Amino acid sequence: MSAGGAVEPGLPAAAAAPSPAPARDPGPGHLFRPISAEDEEQQPTEIESLCMNCYRNGMTRLLLTKIPFFREIIVSSFSCEHCGWNNTEIQSAGRIQDQGVRYTLTVRAQEDMDREVVKTDSATTRIPELDFEIPAFSQKGASTLCSCQVNEEAVAERIDEFIGKLKELKQVASPFTLIIDDPSGNSFVENPHAPRKDDALVITHYNRTLQQEEMLGLQAEAPEEKLEEEDIRNEVLQFNTNCPECNAPAQTNMKLVQIPHFKEVIIMATNCENCGHRTNEVKSGGAVEPLGTRITFHITDPSDMTRDLLKSETCSVEIPELEFELGMAVLGGKFTTLEGMLKDIRELVTKNPFTLGDSSSPGQTEKLQEFSQKLDQILEGVLKVHFIMDDPAGNSYLQNVYAPEDDPEMKVEHYKRTFDQNEELGLNDMKTEGYETGLPAQR
């Protein structure tokens, strides 16, 4: 029988049902005895069972025993006197252990070949020197010596050469490594020096992975909540909406994005197939921060234009050298680069319909042209200015390329909001604690 408790050929379910123990419960101490030639009471239980080779009745012998310094096992041996077919297997009589176990044995001498080995059907056996592996559940559980013959059917190519190498290993012509990795924790390699330490044997206990738990039947499926959470973070969500320009049906794509050294944001983009209009905006994935944030960045190099930038709807932008200030909610929320933000500012100012056409004055047009030229100089790295982002909600961000170290050209200040700023954010009328007691009585 295998370590999983399945009924194997030579021991049908009908024959396996009777218990080898007596009618009364003698206790586990009497059932599982250490193997000893002097123990006359320890006799195998014989059960007549069907031979799966010739389909005539053979004999199965069950022996409940205990391996020293290990645990209880059930040894099953079947033989058929009609066709000569026989089979020997082992089953752990204990439960699946809390941790998996990995035995790494370095075979250096012939004495190492005489070690007792218990390999359950959930164990994987490897010999790295031969690049050879017996996967889990490809062989049934077995109790044998380390000099066991490897199943020749598992070798698909170069059989003769492989068998020759196995014979050399059996004679210990050179040291080799035997690794038995069992997630159930029920395999065993003998330590002939027990209870002393064995220098040739390394025993490692480990926590099973989710896949190993499922393989052993301990967990039917992965937790649904974690899978759903991962799916949402990795998936682009879509919902139906109308185009803000032509009011035709359109779709908005939405995705959660984690900004390094900052927080999660929600990016939404709408593309209208009817008129071609495109919009995108960014929403903060978190709440209003306890303090406001003011970021002052000194633009000194053209490479600064590639820095990522997150501007929330509550953030204002200022460039003191140009005497320019962009108020809250203008341009909405954006997740772009510093270059992209400056280009959006240039387009907003120079293409404003109230500053173009007959309504514009000559002096105003010259100022706009001068402002546009200075923005181009900033984008080219010729003009060095300060770029200031002031967000009372604390949900804006400018990339620090030196993170986690401080950026010498960037200053981040956190400040306490004024009453007027809290009023603009709607925080003065918001009651988050003890609001139940303040509710008016129902009539």
Side-chain angles (χ1 to χ4, degrees), residues 385-414:
V385 298
H386 289 83
F387 185 84
I388 302 174
M389 300 172 62
D390 192 346
D391 188 358
N395 287 327
S396 294
Y397 161 85
L398 182 61
Q399 182 185 10
N400 175 7
V401 294
Y402 298 92
E405 303 295 332
D406 293 335
D407 191 330
E409 301 297 339
M410 184 187 301
K411 181 180 179 182
V412 181
E413 302 172 89
H414 299 283

Side-chain angles (χ1 to χ4, degrees), residues 78-327:
F78 174 81
S79 62
C80 178
E81 61 181 7
H82 304 287
C83 66
W85 189 76
N86 57 72
N87 183 30
T88 302
E89 296 171 6
I90 186 174
Q91 176 185 7
S92 173
R95 62 180 179 84
I96 294 177
Q97 304 305 305
D98 295 333
Q99 290 183 312
V101 65
R102 182 184 303 108
Y103 292 91
T104 304
L105 174 64
T106 303
V107 181
R108 299 188 181 94
Q110 191 65 38
E111 290 77 12
D112 292 325
M113 304 297 292
D114 297 330
R115 294 173 183 254
E116 191 74 19
V117 175
V118 175
K119 175 193 142 338
T120 67
D121 55 354
S122 62
T124 299
T125 305
R126 293 195 299 272
I127 303 178
E129 287 78 4
L130 295 183
D131 195 19
F132 173 74
E133 178 176 323
I134 301 176
F137 297 105
S138 61
Q139 284 185 332
K140 298 304 177 183
S143 175
T144 178
L145 299 178
C146 192
S147 57
C148 60
Q149 291 289 341
V150 180
N151 183 10
E152 295 180 8
E153 295 180 358
V155 183
E157 298 177 357
R158 305 171 65 182
I159 296 179
D160 293 338
E161 181 182 354
F162 184 79
I163 293 177
K165 291 182 179 180
L166 283 179
K167 290 180 179 179
E168 292 179 0
L169 293 185
K170 186 176 179 181
Q171 299 300 324
V172 197
S174 60
F176 67 93
T177 306
L178 174 69
I179 302 174
I180 297 180
D181 192 337
D182 187 1
S184 73
N186 287 325
S187 291
F188 172 75
V189 176
E190 180 190 8
N191 174 7
H193 310 290
R196 290 181 295 144
K197 181 182 178 182
D198 189 346
D199 295 332
L201 182 63
V202 178
I203 305 174
T204 305
H205 297 275
Y206 60 87
N207 294 325
R208 286 182 288 266
T209 64
L210 179 62
Q211 291 75 14
Q212 290 172 330
E213 296 272 356
E214 293 177 352
M215 179 184 70
L216 297 173
L218 299 179
Q219 187 168 347
E221 56 185 11
E224 294 183 359
E225 294 182 0
K226 290 185 178 180
L227 290 178
E228 290 178 359
E229 183 179 352
E230 291 298 325
D231 290 342
I232 292 177
R233 293 179 184 277
N234 297 328
E235 183 181 357
V236 177
L237 304 179
Q238 292 184 338
F239 57 90
N240 295 327
T241 183
N242 288 352
C243 174
E245 290 292 323
C246 65
N247 204 34
Q251 278 192 336
T252 296
N253 297 328
M254 182 176 68
K255 191 178 189 305
L256 271 172
V257 176
Q258 174 67 46
I259 298 179
H261 306 287
F262 188 54
K263 60 173 68 177
E264 281 187 336
V265 297
I266 303 172
I267 299 179
M268 295 187 293
T270 303
N271 183 15
C272 179
E273 297 181 355
N274 184 53
C275 67
H277 179 72
R278 295 183 179 182
T279 61
N280 68 81
E281 61 178 317
V282 176
K283 300 287 186 181
S284 173
V288 175
E289 295 295 319
L291 298 174
T293 301
R294 180 181 174 90
I295 302 173
T296 303
F297 178 60
H298 188 201
I299 301 176
T300 59
D301 190 85
S303 62
D304 293 333
M305 296 294 109
T306 62
R307 294 185 184 232
D308 291 332
L309 178 147
L310 171 64
K311 175 193 170 301
S312 72
E313 293 179 336
T314 58
C315 179
S316 60
V317 176
E318 183 181 355
I319 304 177
E321 288 81 357
L322 302 186
E323 298 182 355
F324 172 79
E325 184 174 351
L326 187 71

Side-chain angles (χ1 to χ4, degrees), residues 41-106:
E41 295 183 7
Q42 188 182 42
Q43 298 294 331
T45 301
E46 296 184 349
I47 302 175
E48 189 176 359
S49 53
L50 181 68
C51 175
M52 300 306 295
N53 187 47
C54 66
Y55 298 101
R56 301 172 72 177
N57 282 342
M59 188 63 66
T60 295
R61 295 173 176 83
L62 296 176
L63 179 64
L64 282 67
T65 186
K66 183 187 297 182
I67 297 179
F69 305 103
F70 186 50
R71 58 175 62 92
E72 298 85 1
I73 62 171
I74 301 174
V75 180
S76 169
S77 176
F78 174 81
S79 62
C80 178
E81 61 181 7
H82 304 287
C83 66
W85 189 76
N86 57 72
N87 183 30
T88 302
E89 296 171 6
I90 186 174
Q91 176 185 7
S92 173
R95 62 180 179 84
I96 294 177
Q97 304 305 305
D98 295 333
Q99 290 183 312
V101 65
R102 182 184 303 108
Y103 292 91
T104 304
L105 174 64
T106 303

